[in-house]
């Protein structure tokens, strides 16, 4: 299938070509033709599947006829976070470059007056976080009865963040005769209820979850006997110092640890930066840009901050803490192994993490391979290299890693072959890693290559 088959106009096809895409991803192939007919869409898809284009392209197409009226935007895209809203806006700019459509962005941290001026003149596309949108609405600067198309992106994350009452309110303010394009990675009961209440006979399009993409992700755990923050930070450094780590995201469960871990990595000479909700918007955007350009090699993040960020081609995901919720594990590791590239995840596991590890193992169908790193002592009875002396914070030692094939694995036979392989030769060569190691970062995006795992569910 090509983009020409989807019913898009030449202007859009030209913009898509300029973006470097050759064929639609499954969510695009499924959602675009339906959305173009004006029907409601329920898209069940994760970040990384190309879902943003699956709603922005038909939205632009349908808005290309007609004009916005003052203070009455014609379409509304709701996003859970400012970063996600900003990324959607970047997508719209890219795809609508051959159209004369106006766009306003209502998110925290963006100067209000210029956005208000666009709204006053008439915006075709309004991109907003729910709280900000309602603020503006309540102050009277905005009317929602002109909305022809409403998009809800990452609805399940809206639920996690407590936005459902806001979403219900917004649904009650837009005209009933509108088209709704609704996206969620998962379908908890509360989201099913919203869909049943506010969508009209939607076409449901579901594409594979990251768990099914695991053939491109090698998953490891590192058992850490010293479960203190200091012991874990030493284990994290040893994990990052492995040979094939180009760039990565370190996930922490708590916001305050994000800063502590990022500072500790910086002190040890790593190019690292934190990203979490307490940082100023401008700072978060800059950090994200630096990470995308390769100026920052390691991003330290919380789940909420990382959700929805468009960060393709990460070679590694590190779980400084194993997530409390096993689903988050799948979301986190889905940051690597994208676009058909191989990636690795390394999860630090202390003696206290047994329950969480069991939950993750149940979800992914077996425990990840145990990786043994020099200087990281495993709890007694677990595989370890007896070298506790290195496990302090005394700087960056070259790390060597080996795997004990399957020593602690349960039910590993269910796992994809790639994930069952022991840490391979790339992990066993010794080479010190320092702050200079950034020249080899892959460029972001799929380019013109659409990975097989994305195509599979569209065709099958
Ligand atoms: P998303 O799931 O919308 O966050 O998109 C993930 C990444 O895929 C983004 O970097 C997009 O630029 C890229 N992308 C979207 N659609 C395509 C396509 N048809 N071909 C190649 N890359 C794409």
């Amino acid at each position: 299938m090509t983009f020409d088959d989807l019913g898009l106009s030449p202007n859009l096809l030209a913009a898509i070509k300029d973006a470097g895409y050759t064929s639609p991803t499954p969510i695009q192939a499924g959602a675009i033709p339906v959305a173009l007919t004006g029907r409601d869409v329920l898209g069940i898809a994760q970040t990384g599947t190309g879902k943003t284009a699956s709603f922005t392209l038909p939205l632009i197409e349908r808005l290309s006829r007609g004009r916005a009226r003052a203070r009455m935007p014609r379409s509304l895209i709701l996003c859970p976070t400012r970063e996600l809203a900003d990324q959607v806006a970047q997508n719209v700019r890219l795809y609508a470059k051959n159209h004369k459509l106006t766009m306003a962005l209502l998110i925290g941290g963006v100067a209000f007056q210029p956005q208000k001026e666009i709204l006053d003149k008439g915006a075709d596309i309004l991109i907003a976080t729910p709280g900000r949108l309602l603020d503006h609405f309540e102050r009277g600067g905005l009317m929602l009865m002109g909305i022809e198309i409403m998009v809800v992106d990452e609805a399940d994350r809206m639920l996690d963040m407590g936005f459902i009452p806001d979403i219900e309110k917004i649904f009650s303010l837009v005209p009933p005769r509108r088209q709704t394009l609704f996206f969620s990675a998962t379908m908890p009961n509360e989201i099913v209820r919203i869909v049943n209440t506010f969508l009209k006979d939607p076409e449901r399009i579901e594409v594979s979850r990251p768990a099914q993409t695991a053939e491109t992700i090698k998953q490891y755990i590192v058992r850490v006997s010293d479960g203190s923050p200091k012991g874990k930070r030493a284990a994290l450094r040893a994990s990052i110092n492995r040979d094939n780590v180009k760039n990565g995201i370190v996930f922490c469960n708590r916001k305050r640890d994000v800063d502590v871990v990022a500072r500790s990595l910086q002190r040890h000479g790593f190019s690292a930066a934190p990203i979490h909700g307490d940082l100023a918007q401008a700072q978060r955007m800059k950090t994200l840009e630096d990470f995308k350009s390769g100026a920052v090699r390691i991003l330290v993040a919380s789940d909420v901050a990382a959700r929805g960020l468009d960060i393709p081609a990460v070679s590694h995901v590190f779980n400084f803490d194993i997530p409390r919720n096993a689903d988050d594990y799948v979301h986190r590791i889905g940051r690597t192994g994208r676009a058909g590239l191989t990636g690795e995840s390394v999860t630090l596991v202390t003696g206290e993490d047994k329950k969480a590890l069991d939950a993750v193992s149940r979800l992914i169908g077996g425990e990840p391979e145990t990786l043994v790193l020099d200087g990281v002592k495993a709890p007694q009875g677990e595989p370890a290299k007896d070298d506790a002396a290195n496990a302090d914070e005394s700087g960056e030692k070259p790390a060597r890693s080996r795997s004990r094939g399957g020593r602690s694995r349960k039910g590993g036979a269910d796992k994809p072959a790639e994930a069952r392989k022991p840490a391979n030769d790339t992990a066993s060569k010794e080479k010190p890693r320092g702050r200079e190691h950034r020249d080899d970062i892959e460029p972001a995006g799929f380019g013109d290559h659409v990975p097989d795992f994305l195509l599979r569910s569209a065709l099958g």
Side-chain angles (χ1 to χ4, degrees):
M1 176 165 306
T2 70
F3 277 104
D4 295 343
D5 303 324
L6 300 183
L8 298 166
S9 64
N11 274 351
L12 265 177
L13 291 174
I16 292 167
K17 193 158 172 249
D18 291 347
Y21 308 159
T22 49
S23 41
T25 65
I27 188 75
Q28 292 163 1
I32 292 172
V34 177
L36 286 175
T37 67
R39 202 173 149 190
D40 284 2
V41 169
L42 168 60
I44 305 175
Q46 306 272 345
T47 295
T49 55
K51 69 176 166 63
T52 315
S54 78
F55 60 79
T56 45
L57 292 172
L59 182 121
I60 293 165
E61 186 71 65
R62 283 175 57 74
L63 294 176
S64 61
R65 289 168 291 272
R67 272 189 65 106
R69 287 194 283 156
R71 281 189 293 279
M72 281 179 55
R74 299 168 66 203
S75 67
L76 170 62
I77 304 177
L78 287 173
C79 302
T81 63
R82 304 186 260 186
E83 281 83 4
L84 189 63
D86 188 60
Q87 281 165 22
V88 170
Q90 286 176 24
N91 273 255
V92 170
R93 274 186 211 108
L94 190 68
Y95 306 137
K97 66 181 193 181
N98 302 323
H99 289 79
K100 285 206 177 64
L101 294 173
T102 48
M103 178 180 81
L105 195 54
L106 290 188
I107 55 175
V110 167
F112 173 76
Q113 194 53 32
Q115 305 302 312
K116 186 171 177 307
E117 281 165 21
I118 302 174
L119 279 176
D120 286 348
K121 280 197 212 130
D124 295 293
I125 304 169
L126 175 58
I127 304 174
T129 48
R132 267 291 153 132
L133 180 88
L134 287 174
D135 273 0
H136 283 270
F137 181 81
E138 276 150 20
R139 278 194 244 147
L142 178 67
M143 287 178 278
L144 294 173
M145 66 271 222
I147 298 292
E148 298 160 34
I149 307 172
M150 168 148 155
V151 179
V152 180
D153 194 13
E154 307 223 348
D156 51 352
R157 189 48 49 157
M158 303 246 196
L159 173 67
D160 291 351
M161 295 172 76
F163 284 148
I164 292 302
D166 287 353
I167 296 295
E168 290 189 86
K169 170 114 200 267
I170 295 165
F171 266 119
S172 75
L173 296 171
V174 295
R177 274 176 58 81
R178 52 140 209 284
Q179 180 182 23
T180 309
L181 309 175
F182 191 98
F183 288 78
S184 192
T186 55
M187 290 299 289
N189 290 341
E190 190 64 0
I191 296 297
V192 173
R193 184 182 67 76
I194 296 284
V195 166
N196 290 341
T197 312
F198 297 108
L199 272 69
K200 288 185 298 291
D201 185 28
E203 172 99 15
R204 179 185 166 114
I205 297 146
E206 184 162 2
V207 301
S208 55
R209 293 175 46 114
Q212 293 163 273
T213 70
E215 61 256 44
T216 58
I217 306 171
K218 291 181 210 158
Q219 301 167 54
Y220 296 109
I221 54 172
V222 169
R223 295 185 180 275
V224 192
S225 70
D226 178 0
S228 70
K230 194 172 164 180
K232 286 176 78 176
R233 291 198 295 270
L236 176 67
R237 291 197 300 278
S239 308
I240 297 174
N241 272 336
R242 290 169 67 239
D243 207 37
N244 49 354
V245 179
K246 289 178 181 168
N247 61 351
I249 307 182
V250 176
F251 282 99
C252 301
N253 288 353
R254 283 166 296 265
K255 223 184 317 188
R256 62 170 185 275
D257 290 340
V258 169
D259 275 328
V260 174
V261 169
R263 267 203 307 275
S264 160
L265 286 173
Q266 289 161 357
R267 263 204 314 277
H268 285 87
F270 292 87
S271 159
I275 190 155
H276 59 67
D278 288 351
L279 296 171
Q281 170 73 351
Q283 180 62 47
R284 289 200 282 177
M285 300 260 194
K286 176 161 188 324
T287 300
L288 196 56
E289 282 313 310
D290 287 348
F291 187 64
K292 282 183 181 173
S293 72
V296 164
R297 179 178 165 228
I298 305 287
L299 192 66
V300 188
S302 60
D303 290 292
V304 170
R307 171 53 80 109
L309 295 186
D310 181 16
I311 314 168
V314 176
S315 82
H316 280 71
V317 166
F318 301 96
N319 289 314
F320 181 76
D321 304 299
I322 188 163
R324 295 187 201 101
N325 174 346
D327 271 344
D328 282 336
Y329 176 86
V330 175
H331 285 300
R332 290 179 181 185
I333 70 163
R335 298 284 171 173
T336 187
R338 283 209 197 164
L341 303 169
T342 53
E344 288 185 1
S345 71
V346 180
T347 301
L348 304 185
V349 177
T350 69
E352 286 167 17
D353 295 333
K354 188 175 175 332
K355 258 170 89 175
L357 179 61
D358 285 348
V360 165
S361 304
R362 267 197 307 280
L363 187 68
I364 63 171
E367 195 173 284
E369 193 88 27
T370 297
L371 188 65
V372 183
L373 299 174
D374 273 1
V376 179
K377 199 166 178 240
Q380 276 202 332
E382 301 292 350
K385 183 151 196 315
D386 194 13
D387 192 1
N390 289 336
D392 61 14
E393 293 216 296
S394 56
E396 287 193 49
K397 288 226 180 350
R400 184 158 27 99
S401 53
R402 290 176 285 113
S403 140
R404 302 275 171 99
R407 158 80 164 73
S408 55
R409 204 173 53 238
K410 289 178 291 198
D414 295 334
K415 292 181 61 194
E418 226 8 354
R420 285 201 303 274
K421 270 198 225 150
N424 54 23
D425 46 355
T426 52
S428 60
K429 279 179 261 152
E430 282 196 12
K431 191 162 137 203
R433 308 284 307 189
R435 71 180 86 203
E436 289 313 314
H437 244 280
R438 304 202 302 264
D439 49 342
D440 48 1
I441 290 176
E442 301 280 342
F446 292 160
D448 58 5
H449 170 73
V450 178
D452 285 340
F453 74 81
L454 290 179
L455 290 173
R456 222 177 296 140
S457 53
L459 304 173

